Amino acid sequence: MYKEPEPPNESLACFDEEGNVIEPHARKEIHQEPLKYWHAVVNVWLVDRTGRMACSLRSKTLSGNPNKWQTYFGGHVKAGNTFKEAAVMELEEEIGLKIDPDKLFLIKVGKWEPSKHFFESYVYPFDDSLGVLKFNDGEIVKAEWFSFDEYNLDRQNNPDKWCNGCSPENQQLLKEWLKNQKNEKAL
């Protein structure tokens, strides 16, 4: 019915510890314990003009964080792609959303040692109904709007229900981006 959303032999972009590109490796090699390959991931928050985040429920068939809610969309950067290209592709693959790459705003770049991830985090303005989203690849099965307060309360009351969250620092970055968007439109 669905294509395999996490193909084990998919070739992913890899890096040395300083962030220099090295030869790509298969997903199954990258995730083999103990972790030895730094690799790239992208995160994209869909945020509406009122400051709500489109959160999604991961399929119960996924190997990582099955049947858990997350605050962003995204995934691994395939070999040969940039972070931004991966962000655009992930939105189309996971939720059938074709976006204007020029409206994708980079809000954070970093390195996460425990997972050996180099990451770029983006925000995309989205004021449409979540009903337009199409869950084509079987990775995501549902999406709902959450305000930051609703998310924080639900995460606090149901911590086992959530993965791939939105830290207070990231919430502040999203709020600053939203404020800047409103200020630009007011000019």
Side-chain angles (χ1 to χ4, degrees):
M1 175 157 108
Y2 294 116
K3 71 177 183 110
E4 185 176 6
E6 299 173 318
N9 292 319
E10 180 176 44
S11 187
L12 302 177
C14 292
F15 305 86
D16 65 18
E17 199 163 318
E18 286 76 43
N20 301 305
V21 176
I22 63 170
E23 72 279 355
H25 291 274
R27 180 186 296 268
K28 66 183 176 187
E29 290 178 83
I30 288 170
H31 290 144
Q32 186 174 36
E33 296 286 343
L35 300 176
K36 60 183 178 179
Y37 298 110
W38 284 90
H39 55 289
V41 296
V42 294
N43 314 312
V44 183
W45 281 281
L46 296 184
V47 177
D48 74 4
R49 75 185 87 187
T50 68
R52 296 181 304 171
M53 299 180 291
C55 296
S56 61
L57 181 62
R58 295 171 59 82
S59 169
K60 62 183 175 186
T61 63
L62 293 176
S63 60
N65 297 308
N67 207 36
K68 292 197 178 206
W69 284 89
Q70 58 189 4
T71 62
Y72 57 78
F73 301 89
H76 292 82
V77 178
K78 294 177 180 96
N81 290 125
T82 66
F83 284 88
K84 193 170 193 177
E85 289 168 340
V88 170
M89 286 189 306
E90 287 291 337
L91 288 176
E92 187 167 358
E93 288 174 6
E94 288 183 4
I95 56 175
L97 188 62
K98 292 183 183 193
I99 67 165
D100 177 352
D102 293 333
K103 292 183 180 174
L104 195 61
F105 296 92
L106 180 65
I107 61 167
K108 189 174 182 181
V109 174
K111 181 177 174 180
W112 181 248
E113 178 80 37
S115 300
K116 294 203 175 289
H117 286 169
F118 282 99
F119 68 87
E120 287 190 2
S121 297
Y122 295 88
V123 60
Y124 190 80
F126 186 74
D127 285 309
D128 212 336
S129 163
L130 295 179
V132 304
L133 303 181
K134 310 261 186 289
F135 310 119
N136 296 326
D137 74 354
E139 187 171 337
I140 303 298
V141 296
K142 182 178 180 181
E144 291 182 11
W145 288 114
F146 282 81
S147 69
F148 293 120
D149 290 340
E150 290 167 336
Y151 160 71
N152 290 328
L153 183 61
D154 199 63
R155 177 98 190 214
Q156 180 181 346
N157 292 335
N158 305 291
D160 294 339
K161 170 180 161 180
W162 289 90
C163 68
N164 303 336
C166 190
S167 68
E169 175 191 356
N170 287 334
Q171 289 179 43
Q172 188 58 41
L173 290 171
L174 292 171
K175 289 175 185 177
E176 288 171 15
W177 170 82
L178 188 61
K179 181 179 175 185
N180 289 339
Q181 292 299 300
K182 289 179 180 178
N183 288 340
E184 286 179 17
K185 289 184 182 191
L187 297 178

